[in-house]
Amino acid sequence: MTLTENLPVVLRTVIQQDYPMLFQIYASTRDDVMQVGWTDEQKHAFLVQQFTAQDSQYREHYQGADFLVIELQGQTIGRLYLHRTRKEHRLMEVTLLPQYRNQGLGTALMHALMEQADAAGLPLTLHVEQFNPAYQMYQRLGFQDVEQRGMYMFMERPAPQQQD
């Protein structure tokens, strides 16, 4: 099953030329930095450092993961990073640009990810900050709090029960 089979978006593997747009997608989530009394140059430098550190951490700790760009009508609108193992499907990141949020695309992507994990008989897991609006969406979709890990809540949507 293709993840976006019934969705209006296309997923494709990240290439080097995507990094400026991936940075913009990342920066769109960091309203906290915009509130700091730094110059625009300082804010930009900080965001570049944080984006680069996050990318390095993901690639080091989730080897073999799918690093995907989300496109709608040929335009990059987000990113989706997914690590599939024999034990779980781990959603590392799903972010849409602000103008594409709250339109049902994120929920549709989550349903597709849940169907894929269900088909594999595996749980779908993720980390999310509890103040992130997506936290409530994950709860509505059946994700359960497993444990607090620093500033993140580790959540799991259990695998479906096997029928005998």
Side-chain angles (χ1 to χ4, degrees), residues 91 106-114 124 126 137-138 141 143:
L91 178 60
T107 300
L109 282 166
M110 290 305 300
H111 280 289
L113 290 168
M114 292 178 334
L124 180 60
L126 55 85
M137 176 189 69
Y138 297 139
L141 293 173
F143 283 80

Side-chain angles (χ1 to χ4, degrees), residues 79-128:
R79 64 184 186 164
L80 190 151
Y81 299 166
L82 180 66
H83 189 234
R84 296 179 190 108
T85 69
R86 286 184 245 142
K87 292 182 178 182
E88 67 180 359
H89 285 193
R90 171 73 56 91
L91 178 60
M92 301 154 43
E93 176 83 30
V94 60
T95 304
L96 297 171
L97 286 169
Q99 61 268 35
Y100 297 98
R101 296 176 193 157
N102 301 312
Q103 297 178 24
L105 284 174
T107 300
L109 282 166
M110 290 305 300
H111 280 289
L113 290 168
M114 292 178 334
E115 287 174 20
Q116 197 173 72
D118 288 353
L122 296 171
L124 180 60
T125 62
L126 55 85
H127 289 93
V128 64

Side-chain angles (χ1 to χ4, degrees), residues 22-142:
L22 293 174
F23 171 75
Q24 288 181 22
I25 294 164
Y26 170 79
S28 77
T29 68
R30 296 300 306 266
D31 291 335
D32 58 325
V33 175
M34 297 305 124
Q35 307 306 316
V36 178
W38 296 340
T39 67
D40 288 344
E41 292 80 21
Q42 290 170 319
K43 291 175 188 176
H44 181 77
F46 178 77
L47 289 171
V48 167
Q49 184 274 331
Q50 292 289 293
F51 172 74
T52 302
Q54 181 191 63
D55 187 67
S56 295
Q57 193 267 348
Y58 281 159
R59 292 183 182 280
E60 178 182 341
H61 294 286
Y62 296 100
Q63 293 183 10
D66 294 319
F67 294 89
L68 305 168
V69 168
I70 305 167
E71 292 184 338
L72 178 66
Q73 300 174 342
Q75 296 293 318
T76 298
I77 66 164
R79 64 184 186 164
L80 190 151
Y81 299 166
L82 180 66
H83 189 234
R84 296 179 190 108
T85 69
R86 286 184 245 142
K87 292 182 178 182
E88 67 180 359
H89 285 193
R90 171 73 56 91
L91 178 60
M92 301 154 43
E93 176 83 30
V94 60
T95 304
L96 297 171
L97 286 169
Q99 61 268 35
Y100 297 98
R101 296 176 193 157
N102 301 312
Q103 297 178 24
L105 284 174
T107 300
L109 282 166
M110 290 305 300
H111 280 289
L113 290 168
M114 292 178 334
E115 287 174 20
Q116 197 173 72
D118 288 353
L122 296 171
L124 180 60
T125 62
L126 55 85
H127 289 93
V128 64
E129 296 165 319
Q130 288 178 288
F131 63 82
N132 184 327
Y135 177 69
Q136 293 176 351
M137 176 189 69
Y138 297 139
Q139 289 178 316
R140 282 194 313 272
L141 293 173

